[in-house]
Amino acid sequence: QAWALMEAQLGNHSRALELLKEGLGKVKEPEKQGVLLSCKGSILGRRQRFPEAEEAFRRALSLDERNPLIHYHFAADCLLPQGRREEACRHLHRALQLAPRKPRDRQRIQTALRQHCPPTDQEAPG
């Protein structure tokens, strides 16, 4: 995954996707496959290949629905760029509900919620 992300940052998207495909062929644990598929979805989403990105994210969530970062990246890298705000907000709320371990990840999710999503009844002031 790290190598694929590095290749993507360098603009080598085809190579990044090849590395993820290789990894998916070797990794058997569903949670690890979910992370690789989420990474694939993010790369595809950033390339505006949204149908493929969405397929990768949906497969990732079917393998690991409880990973908050899969929900976050699905919203940020695939749904929001397409203007699918309501669906993205559901995934962002779910990501926060799943309580990411790292404070940095919680902060990114909270920032995305503030920027893109109206407060829920529980969050509304008053």
Side-chain angles (χ1 to χ4, degrees):
Q1 176 194 8
W3 188 5
L5 289 172
M6 182 191 71
E7 291 289 349
Q9 285 182 327
L10 293 172
N12 302 327
H13 300 99
S14 295
R15 180 65 181 140
L17 294 171
E18 287 172 18
L19 289 167
L20 291 169
K21 184 177 179 180
E22 288 176 28
L24 285 164
K26 295 176 182 176
V27 171
K28 301 302 176 207
E29 298 91 344
E31 294 83 12
K32 290 181 181 179
Q33 287 182 343
V35 169
L36 293 175
L37 285 164
S38 179
C39 183
K40 178 180 177 179
S42 289
I43 291 169
L44 291 167
R46 291 178 190 147
R47 303 289 299 159
Q48 297 183 350
R49 293 169 57 181
F50 297 121
E52 295 168 275
E54 187 166 345
E55 179 184 340
F57 280 117
R58 295 217 184 271
R59 286 181 53 209
L61 287 170
S62 75
L63 293 167
D64 189 6
E65 194 281 331
R66 299 196 49 82
N67 183 324
L69 294 180
I70 296 174
H71 287 278
Y72 168 77
H73 286 290
F74 187 19
D77 298 333
C78 185
L79 298 172
L80 286 171
Q82 295 181 79
R84 294 167 59 186
R85 193 176 92 168
E86 186 176 315
E87 188 177 358
C89 289
R90 283 195 306 270
H91 283 280
L92 290 171
H93 282 289
R94 181 69 175 137
L96 192 59
Q97 179 186 39
L98 290 168
R101 286 179 284 153
K102 295 180 182 176
R104 181 190 74 200
D105 294 333
R106 278 193 305 279
Q107 183 61 42
R108 288 186 346 188
I109 294 165
Q110 290 170 333
T111 299
L113 279 164
R114 278 193 305 274
Q115 289 176 346
H116 302 287
C117 305
T120 64
D121 290 339
Q122 295 170 340
E123 299 168 332

